[in-house]
């Protein structure tokens, strides 16, 4: 997915691969000076957004806070790449309830900030998002959160 020549910095940080002695590749995060911000221990790391990145390691998935290194285990529907980016301190997360897939928003601790009630939810822009309930679109106004 990424090669050593394709560093893309976001928020002053970049997800980079490092080949291990056993031939496997693990991912970590560096800053613009090349200093390690997050150790090379992840089999996959997602795009950096809002100081967070989705991870996959030994079958476990979740988000990692890049400022503290704290991991927030979250089970993604599908594969680890379904870990949506954070925006305004929240990320879209899908789950199954009553045999039906529903979506909501989690905060940086993995708790539901907006319960999973919707068929589909969009990305948050300027404190608002389009959500769908029973196939009908609605505008969800989240307001400005202190951690934005």
């Amino acid at each position: 997915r990424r090669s050593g020549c394709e560093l893309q910095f976001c928020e002053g940080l970049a997800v980079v691969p490092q080949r291990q002695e056993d031939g496997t590749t693990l991912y970590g995060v560096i800053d613009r000076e090349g200093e390690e911000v997050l150790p090379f221990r992840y089999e996959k790391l997602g795009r950096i957004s809002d100081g967070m990145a989705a991870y996959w390691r030994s079958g476990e998935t979740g988000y990692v806070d890049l400022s503290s290194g704290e991991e927030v285990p979250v089970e993604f529907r599908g594969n680890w790449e379904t870990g949506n980016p954070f925006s305004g301190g929240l990320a879209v997360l899908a789950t199954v309830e009553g045999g039906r897939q529903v979506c909501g928003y989690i905060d940086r601790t993995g708790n539901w900030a907006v319960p999973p009630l919707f068929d589909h939810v969009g990305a948050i822009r300027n404190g608002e998002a389009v959500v769908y309930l029973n196939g009908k679109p609605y505008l969800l106004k989240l307001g400005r959160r202190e951690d934005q």
Side-chain angles (χ1 to χ4, degrees):
R1 193 164 95 109
R2 294 180 178 93
S3 76
C5 299
E6 298 174 339
L7 296 182
Q8 182 178 0
F9 282 88
C10 184
E11 301 177 19
L13 302 172
V15 173
V16 294
Q18 183 181 73
R19 181 158 311 281
Q20 305 299 301
E21 288 182 13
D22 65 2
T24 61
T25 299
L26 295 179
Y27 290 83
V29 176
I30 61 169
D31 63 18
R32 289 194 182 277
E33 287 74 43
E35 295 295 320
E36 185 178 289
V37 173
L38 192 66
F40 293 86
R41 64 176 173 228
Y42 299 94
E43 293 165 53
K44 303 281 185 189
L45 271 177
R47 189 178 89 209
I48 296 168
S49 65
D50 215 19
M52 304 285 280
Y55 72 83
W56 185 74
R57 182 183 67 226
S58 303
E60 295 180 8
T61 58
Y63 289 97
V64 59
D65 183 325
L66 300 177
S67 64
S68 67
E70 183 178 341
E71 293 178 358
V72 179
V74 173
E75 186 176 327
F76 300 125
R77 294 273 307 138
N79 60 35
W80 81 276
E81 292 171 328
T82 59
N84 291 290
F86 270 79
S87 175
L90 301 176
V92 173
L93 188 67
T95 189
V96 174
E97 290 187 3
R100 177 176 159 258
Q101 180 173 300
V102 289
C103 304
Y105 297 92
I106 60 168
D107 63 18
R108 296 170 67 90
T109 65
N111 293 315
W112 290 107
V114 175
L117 305 170
F118 305 99
D119 308 325
H120 178 75
V121 296
I124 300 166
R125 301 279 188 262
N126 299 320
E128 299 177 334
V130 175
V131 299
Y132 289 82
L133 183 60
N134 299 321
K136 185 175 178 184
Y138 294 91
L139 181 63
L140 180 66
K141 295 188 178 205
L142 298 164
R144 181 145 180 89
R145 296 172 50 89
E146 287 186 28
D147 58 353
Q148 285 189 23

